Amino acid sequence: MNEDLLRSLTPSVLGVLVRRGADFAAAEDAVQDALVEAVRVWPTEVPRDPKGWLITVAWRRFLDATRADTARRRREDRVDEEPAPGPAPAMDDTLQLYFLCAHPSLTPSSAVALTLRAVGGLTTRQIAQAYLVPEATMAQRISRAKRTVSGVRFDCPGDVATVLRVLYLVFNEGYSGDVDLAAEAIRLTRQLAAAIDHPEVAGLLALMLLHHARRSARTAPDGSLVPLNEQDRGRWDTRAITEGVDLLRAALARDRLGEFQAQAAIAALHADAPTAEETDWTQIVEWYDELARLTDSPIVRLNRAVAVGEADGPRAGLAALAALDDSPDDASPSASRRRYPLPRHTAVAAYLHERDGDLATAARLYAEAAHQAPNLAERDHLTRQAARLNINRTR
């Protein structure tokens, strides 16, 4: 049973049903029923035209559901004529499904769930396990999302930037349950790149590949985090790095710079350095300047402060961090951060203070950052950093 084939066919089958007149929610339910039937039947009887088979079964399930729903009796005239079986239509509606699943009316969490279900072909249970929520909770989230977009015209132009942000959210979830969300995000982004020629799509795919290439080196055998500068670069996936760099070069050559291309350029500079000491931090700072211009994001400026600390010394990094803290609406430099906590700000401050030789302040900040850590692995890593400095200070 080829699960990858089923998932790759899901968006095009769903698109056919919607174009035939099924509303999105009903069409998606019918496609899921067809996928279940395929899992049951195909191991013993593989169809000659898998896509055509899925379309036929899904359309019949849609008709059955429509006829059984008394509230939709008036629609039976429109759907009663079942199209004759035949080759599946060549039109591919995958791109429109990406746009629909990332519709501005959806919350980010709903857009992610709907994309994984309708475009990715994952089951509700798989998505729920990946996001560590009860299956019933995820089913309600997906149902609300489907109802929200059911009235949206299928052929409306969509926003590529919104789709890319949704895919990047999926990628950053990493791995949980029996679904590798990082790998799934790469697959979906490849699929999107095949459907649309856009430099930012190529930029996002390059960024994902470059980050994913370091995955096996990010954790030690005991599960603890390994910082970038301590990673065994021999364990990085050179094939993924080469593909990512090639994609990035082609995208940058089109001279339509976007935020994902800029992020990929930073990741490429890290990947290109034979050792941590040989990293071109000056060029990385320049790319962060470009990225800050494109996004005006405090997260970008926080990461830039780290790069400045590496390029020009820890005190320059701390000065960049202080500039980030400054708020025009409040005389207190840290007041805005207290109101709007910036993830990993305290950890960055701890690192820069340690580089500057202020071990007491660094140890205190590492301990504080551990309490703010978003996950157990980061908390344990930061706790060990604090303990390491405290031990060194007492010797």
Side-chain angles (χ1 to χ4, degrees):
M1 180 63 224
N2 192 333
E3 184 178 334
D4 291 340
L5 173 62
L6 279 179
R7 288 166 57 190
S8 68
L9 292 174
T10 296
S12 55
V13 173
L14 179 54
V16 169
L17 265 65
V18 173
R19 285 200 178 276
R20 286 183 179 178
D23 70 79
F24 181 83
E28 206 279 330
D29 287 340
V31 170
Q32 290 296 322
D33 287 344
L35 294 175
V36 171
E37 185 67 7
V39 170
R40 187 184 70 83
V41 173
W42 285 15
T44 57
E45 187 181 348
V46 180
R48 199 173 300 173
D49 178 11
K51 180 178 175 181
W53 188 97
L54 286 170
I55 291 171
T56 299
V57 173
W59 185 250
R60 286 173 179 165
R61 294 297 172 93
F62 167 69
L63 293 179
D64 291 344
T66 302
R67 293 190 184 102
D69 189 346
T70 57
R72 298 178 183 175
R73 289 291 183 185
R74 289 177 297 174
R75 298 172 59 187
E76 285 197 352
D77 290 341
R78 175 165 61 83
V79 299
D80 207 31
E81 291 292 328
E82 180 178 339
M91 179 178 293
D92 188 351
D93 292 309
T94 298
L95 181 58
Q96 291 306 127
L97 279 174
Y98 275 98
F99 290 147
L100 194 62
C101 292
H103 194 268
S105 60
L106 296 172
T107 63
S109 60
S110 294
V112 164
L114 192 57
T115 297
L116 289 173
R117 171 75 181 254
V119 184
L122 299 181
T123 65
T124 302
R125 174 173 294 181
Q126 286 175 316
I127 301 169
Q129 288 176 343
Y131 283 90
L132 305 178
V133 299
E135 185 176 354
T137 300
M138 184 57 69
Q140 291 174 353
R141 184 181 300 174
I142 293 172
S143 292
R144 285 195 299 269
K146 289 194 292 186
R147 287 196 299 270
T148 299
V149 301
S150 283
V152 177
R153 282 181 53 195
F154 190 62
D155 57 353
C156 287
D159 179 16
V160 174
T162 303
V163 174
L164 296 182
R165 281 192 290 272
V166 169
L167 291 174
Y168 198 39
L169 283 173
V170 176
F171 179 79
N172 284 327
E173 287 298 324
Y175 178 85
S176 184
D178 64 351
V179 176
D180 186 338
L181 288 178
E184 179 65 13
I186 291 173
R187 185 184 75 84
L188 292 175
T189 307
R190 284 192 191 280
Q191 193 169 270
L192 180 61
I196 184 172
D197 182 19
H198 193 294
E200 271 293 81
V201 176
L204 177 59
L205 181 55
L207 175 63
M208 289 178 175
L209 288 168
L210 290 164
H211 279 312
H212 204 57
R214 304 199 302 261
R215 178 173 178 169
S216 64
R218 285 199 187 104
T219 53
D222 62 359
S224 60
L225 287 180
V226 180
L228 177 61
N229 62 340
E230 298 176 16
Q231 288 177 14
D232 178 0
R233 298 183 180 223
R235 297 180 62 194
W236 290 0
D237 185 344
T238 54
R239 182 179 298 179
I241 290 172
T242 299
E243 182 184 0
V245 169
D246 288 346
L247 283 166
L248 175 62
R249 284 174 176 162
L252 291 175
R254 300 177 66 174
D255 199 23
R256 291 167 55 192
L257 184 64
E259 62 176 294
F260 290 114
Q261 293 170 72
Q263 287 189 61
I266 294 167
L269 286 167
H270 283 296
D272 187 54
T275 65
E277 292 74 24
E278 295 173 87
T279 303
D280 189 345
W281 286 106
T282 299
Q283 196 173 165
I284 287 175
V285 172
E286 292 172 356
W287 274 111
Y288 271 122
D289 288 339
E290 289 285 350
L291 192 54
R293 180 182 60 80
L294 290 166
T295 66
D296 192 31
S297 163
I299 296 292
V300 169
R301 294 198 294 275
L302 178 65
N303 290 331
R304 179 186 178 277
V306 176
V308 169
E310 299 291 351
D312 301 327
R315 294 198 177 182
L318 287 167
L321 197 62
L324 173 61
D325 287 340
D326 286 339
S327 170
D329 301 321
D330 194 306
S332 171
S334 61
S336 63
R337 191 170 77 251
R338 286 197 301 269
R339 290 195 301 270
Y340 309 106
L342 190 58
R344 299 182 176 86
H345 182 287
T346 310
V348 168
Y351 174 74
L352 291 171
H353 277 289
E354 180 184 358
R355 289 278 319 280
D356 194 39
D358 187 352
L359 302 188
T361 300
R364 176 177 57 78
L365 290 173
Y366 275 131
E368 183 181 329
H371 289 292
Q372 302 168 354
N375 56 62
L376 182 61
E378 284 193 35
R379 188 187 72 187
D380 289 347
H381 172 72
L382 292 166
T383 300
R384 283 194 295 271
Q385 297 305 306
R388 173 179 57 82
L389 293 185
N390 283 325
I391 291 174
N392 288 340
R393 287 170 55 220
T394 57
R395 286 178 178 173

